[in-house]
Amino acid sequence: MTKARAAEGAASGADLYSCVESRGAWPFTSHRRYRHPDGREVLWQSRDHRKGLRAKKGGAKPLAARLWRVVDAPGELNWWIGILFALGAALFMLGS
C-alpha cells in the first residue's frame, strides 16, 4: 500500500479509484483507502494532504543525498533556530 495525496489521485483519474475504507472521528475523515481496478491500493491521510507531504518512493537514499538534506535545511526555520541556539549556548559557556 502506498501513500498519495488526493490531488494526485484527482489528476490521474480519481474516478477510477473506489473508496474501500474511510476512518476518522465523526464528522472528520482522517484516513481513506482507495483501490484501483488493477488492484493497487492508495492510502490518503489528511495530515499529509494538509501539510503538503508526498509519498516517499524508492529505497534508502545515498549518503550524499542525506547529508545535503541537512545542509539544505534553511527552509526549515525550526532547524536553524535550534542550531543557532546551540551555538549561542556553547559560546556563552566558553565565555563564562
Side-chain angles (χ1 to χ4, degrees), residues 30-57:
S30 57
H31 294 80
R32 276 196 176 161
R33 190 164 42 114
Y34 294 97
R35 182 170 292 131
H36 192 269
D38 68 3
R40 289 181 293 147
E41 289 190 348
V42 176
L43 177 64
W44 174 86
Q45 295 180 337
S46 62
R47 184 176 191 278
D48 294 346
H49 179 76
R50 184 178 70 248
K51 294 191 172 281
L53 303 175
R54 294 184 180 260
K56 294 180 181 176
K57 296 179 181 176

Side-chain angles (χ1 to χ4, degrees), residues 25-96:
W26 184 86
F28 305 106
T29 302
S30 57
H31 294 80
R32 276 196 176 161
R33 190 164 42 114
Y34 294 97
R35 182 170 292 131
H36 192 269
D38 68 3
R40 289 181 293 147
E41 289 190 348
V42 176
L43 177 64
W44 174 86
Q45 295 180 337
S46 62
R47 184 176 191 278
D48 294 346
H49 179 76
R50 184 178 70 248
K51 294 191 172 281
L53 303 175
R54 294 184 180 260
K56 294 180 181 176
K57 296 179 181 176
K61 294 183 179 181
L63 179 62
R66 287 184 281 157
L67 289 175
W68 179 249
R69 183 173 180 265
V70 172
V71 174
D72 191 38
E76 302 294 330
L77 183 60
N78 291 338
W79 188 87
W80 280 109
I81 290 172
I83 292 296
L84 293 174
F85 180 82
L87 179 64
L91 291 174
F92 182 79
M93 188 174 61
L94 286 173
S96 295

